[in-house]
Amino acid sequence: MTQPPHDEPTAANPEELREQVEQTRAELGQTVEALAAKADVKARTQEKAAEVKEQAAAKATDVKEQATAKAAEVREQATAKAAELKEQTALKAGELKAKAAELAHQAQDKLPDPVKEKAALAAEQARTKAGQAGQLWQDKAPEPVRQKTAQGAQLARDNRKALLVATGVAVMAWLAFRRKG
């Protein structure tokens, strides 16, 4: 007969012995199942693959959410920067326009009175000649050409200040060239 394990008490009757045998069989069955599960490499590999797949999906979801949040943040920053640049550009354009007007006034103020009078006289003569040429043009020019010319004249009237400033600058340049030459 075999000796019972030292940590288990011996059975006092056959019924206890049967119970101990059943318990030992159950424990042995569980141990065999655990060993079989560890020995089943294919099943363990599939379980590990499923676990890694779940982890990768969770990580991908996290990264996607972070990227979406970052994209929204960058979009907001870009919109704010564009608005800021637009505002700065408008301010700079206004400053440049004011500076050009100031320089034009300074140029006009520096012109001597005789030059201003000659310029006014020349302008009046030019208007008279332009009126005469306009009348001649109306009499002789074909209709499509007259329409295009009318559009050009309207554009000139709309930009009268710029034309006057350019004329004043041209006169000053002409006078400066004339004095040096």
Side-chain angles (χ1 to χ4, degrees):
M1 262 181 115
T2 61
Q3 291 285 329
H6 297 287
D7 57 345
E8 291 184 18
T10 59
N13 60 36
E15 188 61 38
E16 285 182 20
L17 185 58
R18 283 189 196 107
E19 286 179 20
Q20 286 178 357
V21 168
E22 285 299 318
Q23 183 178 358
T24 303
R25 280 185 187 155
E27 290 173 1
L28 185 58
Q30 291 173 352
T31 304
V32 169
E33 284 180 16
L35 288 173
K38 282 188 177 185
D40 188 2
V41 175
K42 184 178 178 182
R44 288 178 54 204
T45 303
Q46 289 174 345
E47 289 173 5
K48 189 65 173 176
E51 182 181 318
V52 168
K53 185 178 176 181
E54 287 178 18
Q55 289 174 350
K59 188 68 173 175
T61 301
D62 289 347
V63 168
K64 182 180 176 184
E65 289 173 358
Q66 289 174 355
T68 302
K70 192 65 172 176
E73 180 181 330
V74 167
R75 191 177 314 112
E76 288 175 10
Q77 288 175 350
T79 302
K81 191 67 173 175
E84 180 182 335
L85 288 174
K86 184 178 179 182
E87 184 177 318
Q88 288 176 354
T89 303
L91 284 172
K92 201 52 116 171
E95 290 173 7
L96 289 174
K97 187 176 180 180
K99 187 71 171 176
E102 179 183 334
L103 289 173
H105 286 301
Q106 287 176 0
Q108 285 180 344
D109 291 345
K110 289 184 179 181
L111 284 176
D113 287 337
V115 172
K116 288 180 186 177
E117 290 171 5
K118 284 182 181 179
L121 181 61
E124 183 59 36
Q125 289 174 351
R127 276 194 286 275
T128 303
K129 290 287 184 186
Q132 291 171 354
Q135 186 58 44
L136 181 63
W137 176 259
Q138 289 289 336
D139 295 341
K140 305 263 180 179
E143 181 63 28
V145 175
R146 283 190 292 184
Q147 288 176 352
K148 287 288 185 185
T149 305
Q151 289 173 352
Q154 183 61 41
L155 183 63
R157 280 191 294 276
D158 292 344
N159 296 306
R160 185 175 293 170
K161 273 190 176 179
L163 289 173
L164 289 175
V165 168
T167 303
V169 169
V171 167
M172 284 184 51
W174 177 72
L175 287 174
F177 181 72
R178 187 173 169 203
R179 284 184 186 171
K180 286 183 182 179

